[in-house]
Structure formats: structure tokens, C-alpha cells
Amino acid sequence: MSATFNQGKYVSYFDNVPGCEYIDTISLETMQSVDAFYKSVQVNYLEDVFHKFNASSLTAIRQYLSQFERLMRLDPDAELAGDDGGKSLSSGLLATIRALVAQLHKEEKQCDNEHAKFLIFAPTYRHLEQIHTELTTLMLGDGWMVKVDVLHSSIDMEDCLSSIQEKEQQQQQHQQSHHDQTQTQKYRHILLASAIGDSSITIPSVTCVIDTCRALEVKWDNSKESHNAKTVWASKSICDQRRGRTGRTCPGRVFRLVNKSFYISRLENWDLPQITLASCRDEMLTLLSSSSSSMTNTNNKVFSNPIALLKRCLDPPPELSVQKAIQFLVNMGACEIKKVGSNNNSKERLVPTDLGRLLAGLPYKVSDANMIVRGAKNGMLHEALVLVSILNTRPYPIVHLFGESEANGRIQQLFYEDVNPKDPKSVAIANFAAYLFWYIHWKVNIRQRHGKSRFLHCTNSISEIETENIDYLHDPYNSYPPTIETDQADAYDCNVWEWNSTVADAHSRWCKKHYINPTSVRAVDADVTIALKTLYHKDHEPEWLRCQSSTPKWSKQSESDLPVSYDNIFRKVYGYDKADEICEMLSQLQGPSISSTSLLPQQQCQVVQHKEKMACIHFLNGNCRFGDRCKLAHSYTAPRPLCRFFFNGGCTNASCQFSHENRTTVNSNDEEKSPVHSFYEGGSLSWFQNNAENLLLFGEADFSFTMALSCLGIYPAHATTDSKLEPGTLADRYCTLSNVDATRCHINTQLKSRSFQITKCAWNFPFMGVEEDDSIHTSLLSGTFLSVAAYLTENNYSKNKEFALTLQGDQFSRWSVLECAQRAGFSLDWWEEFDSFQYPGYLPKRGNGERFPAQNARFYVFRLAI
């Protein structure tokens, strides 16, 4: 439990609440018992600091610091604000820190504590820069020098802490190798930390903590509709957190650079709750979306009224912030006012729209999630996802050298030659370029290429002698051992995508060589993956998703397309003509916007917002079973989806219900983005019919699906099962191959002899025993995609190689199907609802014999990249 938790206020909030007679929290006595485990920590204040100087021979420093001591005694707030509102530390405070460090060094030296570290807290990057400059010029004498490291959100903390440990080991080795010399270079290690170092880290050998007792408060300004950051006095709870950074591994001292009387009387006990500082936009939309499923439940009045719920918070937000948040959400189309209830007892209630539920589901703030929608409507979904993830990740992907602005500018120019280090938008684009560089070089051409080779290595049972000829084992960034363990060979995907310490080490070495923060790019990539799962979730799936490629453009870069240098990465990915346009649009995306519009004039944006729904092809064919619940238009005059065959060379169907017209709509070029994932005419049934002679069916538990196809005159080339055949069953009649493991189809001798014929594979409702076990199903599909890709490319040179999956509910998102497909080289081509009633007599059945209804099923078709 954090020391900043106001447990007394929390307990009193539940007074007289039935069932809450006892609240289980960490009591003050418990906190004191925890403190007892620490070694003794002595707390000093500013008067104690000046007493040290008075007791010493530093007469020049006493005279220089007298003005600072007087100001802190008479008007501390004026010292805090300074001449620039607290953006910079005063010269008096800097001189005090410098003198205190020199004095503490002498004291630690007298105690023979050569490895003692000092930790100094200041709230902002600018403050840390000032202290850094002040201390790097400090001469300690007797062969001692100051070594300064910084803990700040702009710097990778893991990298910084590991660097500290490496420096200590190097220093100890250096001293041991020069132990016979009379004098060696020694270092006093100083750590500068912002709020990131207040808690959650333990640094060995910190004997002294110098606390400026300042903090950074970021508060939402309703009049300016932006956040306002200012330096304030820290709360006592924060100061206690900082105190806890010493006394853990050795005795320690804390020096609070304020007078004791001021600390006791003026500093607040607790920080202001974050909800009182926030805009409340995210909180309001989250509450609205979480309560929307129970809007008609009149007994649950609190959850159906988020405004009332926020008023009953332990620390309610300002009412103006709540009202402004509602206005913002309504203006952007995230929520609307609807009448709920019967005609005689109807009430107006604030409810989320489909857009609002989507924005709330994405792992970003409302304004940032809206940026993704704006980007997607301009055909830049993946670009917007990466950009927003970068803006929400600290540190940025590009390595930041503290206090070296010129060097940082040169590093940024390696990735984006037109970067302006003083322009945040330009810096974000440079970090976007660094992510592209990482994705192409590391993720695609090292990690994924090695992973696919390792899968083939494991499944083909290559001997140790033959491993000498396997390329990936000789790569300097290879993370796989030459031998294959039994658990790896038995896993569906051979655990080739497992992230372990060996992979982390190879990744870290590669990133350091190319000025990239390893934890940052992984965090950005993880956020993008989570966001894509949300977008493709059955509860969201916005209309514009069909106009986006399922894979980013940069994922299609092959080894021969690799950039030969850091710069011009945009030209390598997008081409010379479009590179500048992409950068300009990335800059525009970062501009302010209060509505879910594209990067267009307002009049054109309104066309996008009120675009007519596409016609339902199943309705036009007379077989839509969704009725009024259908998300598409049941109209003969509504615009129809584009025919994918017509625009890919020609449609031979004379009665095609899809559009063969070149329509214009609205994007950045006044033309609508054509659907990338258009509907397949006739749906899944037509797909099976058109591809039967080249089709391989996996996982036919009782072959009822194969029988249903045969009743329709559709005869797949091969229908397989992973079990043995039983005489007299449907399997005995319709099965062509038994004991076929979909994750090892590329090494199945029966299938390999038929690989020249097979260009399409399909699997309906893959299942491995436990519905909730997402990890085992992810591994199953990962291995299946890898194996199918290897099988289809072995002896068949057709360009149209596809793998179809039928899944239920949210399995597509939960089982990371899109990511599994992309790693193996597949991209999502199209998808739509799967209607099991189209297949006479078909009732899906698990491998264990259990039957189940096919509800909310989707049919996904993936195409293998050539």
C-alpha cells in the first residue's frame, strides 16, 4: 500500500455503511512496523543544513548562502516562484545543494564509506538539468570526482539502473587492478530523480537523500481547455516516500531543504486526488460505457447516472469539470441524450454512442483515441495507432542523453532528417521513424524471420550436425539455442515467440547499437496490438475498419528493401512522392480537435459523419437472418459495397449484387477510400464452393460440415481429422486423411504429396478443451499459421494462397489471431458473419464430442503474402 494513501479518510467514507463495519487497510501501526525493518534514518531540515556549514570552515559559503537562508525563513513562497513561476531553481538553492553534497562527501569519506550514493529529488527536467550542471563542475579533491546519473521519464529507467550497476562493477575492478598504486581515480555517485524515483525503486548504498520538497502539479484548466503545470510544495506523504529511498540497505540521512516549522505548518499531509485535477473526460466516458449495458435497469440508479456517481466520490471532481466534460463528449459525438423508459415515465439520460464505446475501449485518453479515428478516416489507421502510442509512452523510442541537447538533435536526425528538436510534433515524427526502423530491422527481419526458421528447425527434427547450416543460429542477435528441448518440440508453435531473458538481451544489444530504447518500442508495439484487438472486437468493429489494411505498410518490407541508412525511412516505406505527405499528415494529426473528423475542411467532414450505411448483400439476396439487428442497410437504394473481383481484374458474375462503379467520397483527396476488406459475394458458402477442388479442411470432428457441403454439391479436395477413423461413421465415409495435426501439416507425408494441388485451407471452430484458456488457443493458432504457410509455399506457386478460420464471439481478439497470422506472413483479406444454417445438417462439434450452437460466428479469410 502506498504511503500516499490517506487511509483515515478512506475508512471514514464507509462509516455507517451496512457490511462495511471493518475496512481492511494498512494501519499506522503496521506502517510503523514496516519502518522498523529499515535501518535508522535521520531526518534533517534546512536549519540543520546551515548548522553544518556554520560548524565547518566554509566561511565563503556561509556568506554566499545567507540570502537564501533569509528568504526561506521570511518568504518561502517567493523563493519557490522565483522570477519565472518556479520553472527554474534559484541560484541560492543550487549553491546550497552544491555545498551540501561537498560536505556530505567529506563526512562519508571520514566514515570510509567510499561506495555511498547521494539521491537528490527535484520535480522537473529543467530543475534536474540545473543541478546536473552545478554538480558536474564540483571538485571534491584527493582524486575524487562526481559521477551524476538521472532518473527521469525521458530516460529508460531499466537502462539507467543497469548502467549504474555496470559502472560500479567497472569502478571496483579498476580499483582492484590498481590497488598497489598510491592514488587512483575515485567517484562519488550522485543520482538526480524526478517523481519517477519517489517510489517503487530500491537503489543499494543510498546513504543520503536531499529533498527540495518540491513537486510538479498538472491541473486541468477549464477556461483554456488544457493542462497547466506548475511547481508546488510537495505533500508530507510525498516527502515520506522520498525518505523511504534510504535506510533500506544501509543507515541513511534525509535533508529536507525547508525549515522544520514551515514543513510542519504549511505542507499538506496528502496530495490532491488526481480526479480533482483531471478534465473528467476519460472518467465520464468510461462510466457511461460501463453502465450502458444496464441503462434500462431502473433499480441501479447510481450506475445509470455517472454524474451522480462522481458526486458521491471520496473526493468529488469540480462540477464545472464534469459539465465541460459532458459538453466535450456530446460535441465530438461520443455520447448523446436519449429518452429512456415508457412514454408516460420517460426520462432523458446521457448514453454513449457507438463511437463513444469504441473510444472508451481503446487503451488511450479520449482525445488520443479520437486522433486514431481521425487518422483511420484518412486511411492512416496504423500510422495513427503508432503515433498515439508513442505520445503516450515514456521514454520515447529514441535514446535521450540527459543534458546534451545538441547530441540528442543529431540522434533524432539519424531517423528523420527534417526534425526540429524544439518542436514536439516534429520530435514525435522522428520517434515514429525510429519505431519503423525498429519494426523493419528487428521485428520483421530478425525476430520474425528467426522465429519462422526456428519453427521449421524444431518440427523437422534436424540433427545437431545439420544445425551448422542453419543461418539464424549464426546471427549475432540469435536468441535460440542449437539444441531443441522436448517441451519446445511438443508445443503447438514450438514456443518460438516466447520472450525470455535471452531474447531480451539480444534485443537490448541491438537497440543500444541503434540509439533506441528497448522497453519503449516494446511498449509502443504492445499498445498497438491491444488497440487492434479492440477495433476488431465484435462489440466495436467500426465501419471504416474495412477501409484499412489489416497489416501496416512497413510490415511488408523484405530484406532486399531494408534501408541502408537511418534517414529517409519514410521514403523507403512510402516512396519518394508520398513520404513528405505522410509526415505532414502526422503533424496535422497532433493538432487540436474536438470532433471525430478527418483532416479536412468542416463541410467535407460533415459528409463523412453522416455517410449512408452500405446495403446488406444478404438482404439483397433475400437471406439476411439478422433483421432489424443488422448493422447494414436493408435498402435497395443504399450504396453497395465494391466488388473485389471487378477491381482486381474483372467480375464474371452477371447477377453480381456488388457495385461495379467508381464512386467518389471524402478523404484528404476528396475521394472515398475504397473498402480494402470488401464483402465476398455469397459469403462463406460461395468461398467454399469456388475453392473446393483446391481446399484442405482441418479439424473435422464428426465430418458433419463435409457432409453438409456434399449435400450442396460441394466436394473439398481433402477433409482431415486429427483422430483415428472409426468404421461405419461419417468420418469413414467423408474423410480422406486421418491423424492430421494442423500445426504440423507441412511435415505430414500424406499431405506433402498433395501440396501441388492445395492452395486453400480452412478450419471451423478450432478448440482445445477449455474455452477460457486463451494462451493454449493462441499457441495452437500460431503453430497452425506457421505450418500452413510452410505447407502452401513448399510446392505450389499460385498467388492466391488462403487460410480461412471460423470463430465465435470475441475469440478473434482474445486469441490474438491477427498477430498470429501476421507473424507467419498472412494478412486478413476479408471477413463476415458465418451462418451455419446455410449448411444443411451442420451442427458444430468439439473434438471431445460436445456439440455447441454457432452464435455470433465470423468467417475470416487470410491471404499469404508472396
Side-chain angles (χ1 to χ4, degrees), residues 703-756:
F703 290 86
S704 62
F705 184 72
T706 307
M707 182 184 70
L709 290 178
S710 66
C711 292
L712 297 171
I714 303 173
Y715 302 97
H718 297 286
T720 69
T721 180
D722 58 0
S723 57
K724 294 182 179 180
L725 297 181
E726 296 183 10
T729 63
L730 287 175
D732 189 28
R733 178 179 178 184
Y734 292 103
C735 179
T736 57
L737 297 172
S738 61
N739 288 325
V740 174
D741 182 356
T743 66
R744 301 294 186 270
C745 65
H746 65 292
I747 59 173
N748 187 293
T749 54
Q750 301 176 82
L751 287 177
K752 291 181 72 172
S753 63
R754 298 167 172 84
S755 60
F756 67 92

Side-chain angles (χ1 to χ4, degrees), residues 82 322 384 499 536 857:
V322 174
W499 190 272
Y536 281 95

